[in-house]
Amino acid sequence: MRKDDIMIAAGLAFLILCVQNIDCTSDKSMQEGTPWNYDYTRYHPVSEISDWMERVVTDNPELVSSSVYGETFEGRNITYLKIGLGSEEVQKKAIWMDCGIHAREWIAPAFCQWFVKEILLHYKTDKKLNEMLKNMDLYVTPVLNVDGYMYSWINESTRLWRKSRSTPPEGCTCHGVDLNRNFNANWGTVGVSRDCCHNTYCGSGPVSEKEAQAVTQFVGSRVDQILCFLTIHSAGQLLLLPYGHPHISAPNYDELMAVGRAAAKAMKAVHGMDYRVGTSPDILYPNSGSSRDWARLMGIPFSYTFELRDKGEFGHLLPEEQIQPACEEAFEGALFIITYVHDKAFHNRTEIGAASVARAFWATVLGSCLATMYLL
């Protein structure tokens, strides 16, 4: 038996013992370093997410800070959480993650909150995670399209709102722009509409929207610092890589595909859900002006769009009972990509394979159990 197989088998044996003796999903396991009584298995309005962000910063001053980096069309703050260990004065490499660029995709902000919660729970006991947080900062925006997200909470008639809430151009009566068609990446060429009433209306010009401007200015000024750009969406269970234009390929396409496929395997290992990997033209539809494509064009080597559950049964109305499993599997995929990117940058390691996927998965599950044992 190979060394990798022995390690995986040993991890599985320990996991069985762990599960027999403790409940890895107990309420206690969700409290250390996170706001008490916060329910990560339901959807939250902006006011509750904002309060949660403040508590996360207050309760974890050694790890988490926050900053406003932009303003929405209606004047609301766009805020990120910065997660990292070490001196604030040292400029570190970084990972970018945003959620909620499309208002109706409520599972996306739920995932960003889950992602932060998992980091807070495990960074003290997970040596690999601790190492990564010493080497890199994580910038996480739980809700990017704040105006649109708030609008989608008004009532059932607004629940499926997708766009921002900017005023319509002259001669039109429909509000909003599809922010994920508004970035300066082959803007307006394919997969968009010039009709302002359409869900894929790309705006009056590239980066015309304040929300897209905020990301462009912040991330664009840190291109040499940011190693990976992750933007979280739903639905379809896809992992999309650049580019959305059918006639353009990323220079590191093969590596992006290999890492994406390995991440999809890690996600499937959690609850058996399949995620397809590829460019948008290959597995979804052509599009232009996406933040993912813009990030890769700017020189950020790894850029992915996560399309979370499901494949059509509920679509953007994913029931709350699916929040936890959806976030658990997505966390494994995101963590795999982040770990790969870190190890390539800091250890010149580019191992991809079944064993590495299994190690990433079992390490996270075992870490969760160990953290719960510690709290018990």
Side-chain angles (χ1 to χ4, degrees):
M1 184 178 290
R2 296 182 305 167
K3 182 178 179 180
D4 286 336
D5 295 331
I6 294 173
M7 185 189 70
I8 295 169
L12 178 58
F14 181 80
L15 175 63
I16 293 171
L17 292 174
C18 178
V19 171
Q20 287 175 342
N21 288 280
I22 64 173
D23 179 5
C24 289
T25 62
S26 68
D27 290 339
K28 290 183 180 181
S29 71
M30 293 188 178
Q31 292 174 353
E32 185 183 88
T34 67
W36 288 60
N37 301 319
Y38 193 81
D39 190 350
Y40 291 91
T41 62
R42 74 177 183 85
Y43 298 118
H44 293 272
V46 166
S47 60
E48 293 179 7
I49 296 174
S50 297
D51 291 343
W52 168 83
M53 292 175 71
E54 291 181 6
R55 283 292 307 276
V56 165
V57 173
T58 300
D59 293 348
N60 303 273
E62 79 290 349
L63 181 68
V64 187
S65 61
S66 67
S67 184
V68 175
Y69 67 97
E71 193 175 80
T72 68
F73 176 81
E74 294 179 343
R76 299 182 176 92
N77 288 338
I78 305 173
T79 307
Y80 65 70
L81 293 174
K82 180 183 177 183
I83 306 172
L85 294 169
S87 173
E88 286 285 325
E89 298 178 0
V90 177
Q91 188 180 73
K92 297 157 62 179
K93 296 297 184 182
I95 304 293
W96 174 269
M97 178 184 291
D98 66 67
C99 295
I101 193 171
H102 286 151
R104 64 192 181 187
E105 298 169 7
W106 287 9
I107 187 61
F111 172 72
C112 262
Q113 294 166 81
W114 186 279
F115 178 85
V116 171
K117 180 260 296 182
E118 288 295 304
I119 299 298
L120 298 178
L121 281 175
H122 303 306
Y123 82 96
K124 291 181 179 179
T125 56
D126 187 322
K127 291 183 178 179
K128 185 63 181 181
L129 182 56
N130 192 275
E131 175 199 354
M132 291 195 294
L133 292 176
K134 288 177 180 175
N135 291 331
M136 305 186 303
D137 291 323
L138 308 176
Y139 291 96
V140 181
T141 301
V143 185
L144 178 55
N145 181 9
V146 184
D147 295 347
Y149 185 71
M150 291 184 69
Y151 186 72
S152 73
W153 275 80
I154 293 177
N155 54 45
E156 289 186 4
S157 69
T158 66
R159 173 62 183 86
L160 292 178
W161 185 260
R162 168 185 170 100
K163 300 184 291 182
S164 68
R165 291 296 298 163
S166 56
T167 53
E170 186 177 352
C172 184
T173 59
C174 299
H175 286 72
V177 167
D178 182 347
L179 296 175
N180 204 42
R181 300 293 185 274
N182 192 238
F183 285 78
N184 193 12
N186 304 304
W187 178 85
T189 55
V190 293
V192 302
S193 175
R194 300 303 177 98
D195 177 356
C196 78
C197 292
H198 197 279
N199 267 337
T200 59
Y201 173 55
C202 59
S204 59
V207 202
S208 61
E209 304 307 291
K210 296 185 72 174
E211 296 85 354
Q213 291 167 15
V215 175
T216 296
Q217 291 166 8
F218 183 84
V219 175
S221 66
R222 293 163 176 80
V223 167
D224 293 337
Q225 180 185 353
I226 296 175
L227 299 172
C228 180
F229 186 101
L230 303 176
T231 180
I232 312 301
H233 294 241
S234 72
Q237 294 173 211
L238 307 171
L239 192 51
L240 302 173
L241 50 126
Y243 288 106
H245 196 289
H247 302 309
I248 306 173
S249 294
N252 60 335
Y253 169 85
D254 289 341
E255 184 179 28
L256 287 168
M257 280 294 296
V259 174
R261 285 170 175 157
K265 288 181 181 179
M267 287 189 278
K268 184 174 183 177
V270 184
H271 295 294
M273 303 298 282
D274 288 311
Y275 282 74
R276 290 195 295 156
V277 181
T279 65
S280 188
D282 286 343
I283 64 174
L284 187 58
Y285 45 65
N287 59 36
S288 57
S290 71
S291 63
R292 173 202 64 238
D293 285 3
W294 170 82
R296 186 64 194 86
L297 282 172
M298 289 294 292
I300 296 173
F302 294 90
S303 182
Y304 292 96
T305 300
F306 278 69
E307 297 281 359
L308 305 186
R309 294 190 183 190
D310 59 7
K311 290 188 175 182
E313 181 179 1
F314 299 105
H316 302 303
L317 302 176
L318 193 71
E320 289 186 328
E321 57 264 27
Q322 290 200 38
I323 292 176
Q324 180 168 338
C327 290
E328 287 173 340
E329 65 201 19
F331 180 81
E332 292 301 326
L335 184 63
F336 183 91
I337 293 171
I338 292 168
T339 303
Y340 177 90
V341 169
H342 170 272
D343 288 354
K344 181 176 182 179
F346 291 94
H347 303 301
N348 196 30
R349 187 183 305 151
T350 56
E351 178 189 36
I352 301 176
S356 60
V357 173
R359 282 197 297 270
F361 169 63
W362 291 121
T364 303
V365 175
L366 293 174
S368 177
C369 291
L370 289 172
T372 307
M373 291 172 67
Y374 173 77
L375 291 170
L376 293 172

